[in-house]
Amino acid sequence: MKRIKIIEDDDAIRTELKTLLSTNGYQPVEEGTCDLILMDVNLPGESGYALCRKLRQTSDTPVIFLTARDTPEDELLAFGVGGDDFIRKPYNSSVLLARIGRILKSAGNETMTTRGLTLDLPGMKAVFEDNSVELTKNETRILWCLMQKELCTRDELIEDLWTNGMYIDGNTLYVNIGRLREKLVQIGAKDFIRTVRGVGYRL
């Protein structure tokens, strides 16, 4: 059973979250190790942003900010300190559960193989026919997205990279795709990434 830590100073919301998680197969906790953290921003003492920034120095446990703050600046700051998602209160229970499930699924999968090409997510490398090449964080995430969906729009790739704390625009995405293609060719995986004109890229 996945353990989800709740960092929330509102007693009513904390109780509500505990009930929601418990009835959907998760174990809510308030201390100890966990698989994911639900964190408010407005906390007594240090803010959620400060806590997340400290956490990222020692841990990559996924963090979902659950907050009443609703400006674009707040959302950007949440991702800037290492948050994995940003959900505004009042939250929709189904949406929150879906996002928890997506993040836990992504965190739990360490490798993926498609047509003989294997991506080692924690090791940040691609393997093809006993040949391997190291990838950057951006290249790893881009290849991961393509291997999950096979066809991704430019906006989907950019959004995913932003969500995972990697700030990237259209031009940077183009450069990263080009470098990733070159690295795949080095290990014999030619033509694995194709451009779909006007849409994005497909594996």
Side-chain angles (χ1 to χ4, degrees), residues 77-97:
L77 182 56
F79 292 131
V81 298
D84 295 87
D85 208 340
F86 183 92
I87 299 178
R88 296 170 179 83
K89 296 175 182 175
Y91 60 88
N92 177 284
S93 297
S94 297
V95 171
L96 176 59
L97 289 170

Side-chain angles (χ1 to χ4, degrees), residues 5 7 37 39 43-61 63 65 77-83:
K5 183 181 293 186
I7 303 179
I37 298 172
M39 186 184 297
L43 298 168
E46 288 187 298
S47 71
Y49 295 142
L51 289 176
C52 186
R53 187 182 287 113
K54 286 184 177 180
L55 175 71
R56 284 293 169 260
Q57 296 175 5
T58 58
S59 172
D60 59 358
T61 301
V63 173
F65 283 106
L77 182 56
F79 292 131
V81 298

